[in-house]
Amino acid sequence: MSYTNGLDKPTDYFEAKLYTGNESNLNITGLDFAPNLVWIKDRTTDHSNCWYDSVRGVQKRLQSNNTEAEGTDANGVTAFNSDGFTIGNSSSVNQNNDSFVSWNWKAGTSVSGTTTGSGTGKAYSGSVNTTSGFSIITYLGNGSAGHTIPHHLGAVPKFIIVKQSIGGAENWFNYHVSLGNTKDIHLN
């Protein structure tokens, strides 16, 4: 069976997973891939939305409902595994008896290089999956309009999320093709 987006099996690249917290180390398994981005939300209480990715590194957390910079959560996601991930006892991702959802994406192929466009080129690195059209890129800004950040997708992205992760509190800027490049929306 082929789906409209051309993927034979979409769960090879994205899958949501429900789990119940136990306030102890917990392995979330059953994904058809090793996730590169894990977004976790407590469905029982009002804990923040927690984002972890393999590019910035395990235990590096962003929270999409606020503007805070990246934080280290030694008890959040503690490992990315071949069919899921492991979490510690952080209440944001593992409150005892709370119901959680995780949205999980596979990128997979490592990329790195130097940015182009206006200003001084800066280092970037990331993980990309051209089949599913998904990439995670971390880069250093250079303060110049026209700074070009490679995404390695092989096609023009239709949706982009940008978050300054280090150095201060900033909005989560988003581009969507239906809004055009003169408007943006914020996750927070």
Side-chain angles (χ1 to χ4, degrees):
M1 174 195 251
S2 185
Y3 296 85
T4 57
N5 61 2
L7 299 176
D8 290 334
K9 187 176 173 198
T11 56
D12 284 345
Y13 308 99
F14 170 81
E15 195 168 351
K17 192 80 171 163
L18 299 175
Y19 66 92
T20 301
N22 70 1
E23 215 161 331
S24 183
N25 287 341
L26 182 60
N27 286 320
I28 309 302
T29 61
L31 299 177
D32 289 339
F33 56 89
N36 297 100
L37 175 65
V38 176
W39 173 5
I40 300 172
K41 178 63 181 118
D42 190 329
R43 299 173 355 136
T44 306
T45 62
D46 63 353
H47 288 120
S48 292
N49 290 268
C50 298
W51 293 51
Y52 302 86
D53 67 78
S54 63
V55 175
R56 290 178 307 113
V58 64
Q59 300 180 354
K60 299 295 183 183
R61 180 193 67 213
L62 292 170
Q63 297 175 325
S64 59
N65 54 293
N66 63 49
T67 61
E68 291 178 12
E70 171 185 278
T72 299
D73 186 358
N75 295 307
V77 171
T78 59
F80 296 101
N81 305 322
S82 63
D83 67 343
F85 56 95
T86 303
I87 53 176
N89 64 359
S90 174
S91 60
S92 295
V93 298
N94 197 6
Q95 180 73 39
N96 195 37
N97 294 320
D98 279 8
S99 173
F100 289 86
V101 61
S102 69
W103 295 281
N104 307 276
W105 287 266
K106 176 185 178 181
T109 302
S110 295
V111 295
S112 63
T114 303
T115 61
T116 60
S118 299
T120 304
K122 298 287 185 173
Y124 75 89
S125 61
S127 186
V128 63
N129 189 303
T130 57
T131 303
S132 63
F134 177 73
S135 69
I136 306 164
I137 304 293
T138 183
Y139 65 94
L140 297 172
N142 71 6
S144 299
H147 187 195
T148 303
I149 313 305
H151 51 69
H152 292 273
L153 294 174
V156 176
K158 294 184 179 182
F159 183 46
I160 302 169
I161 299 172
V162 177
K163 173 67 172 100
Q164 179 178 328
S165 62
I166 300 172
E170 295 290 337
N171 287 318
W172 287 68
F173 290 97
N174 298 271
Y175 160 83
H176 193 276
V177 66
S178 67
L179 293 175
N181 62 2
T182 61
K183 298 181 178 82
D184 63 272
I185 53 178
H186 302 149
L187 285 182
N188 52 285

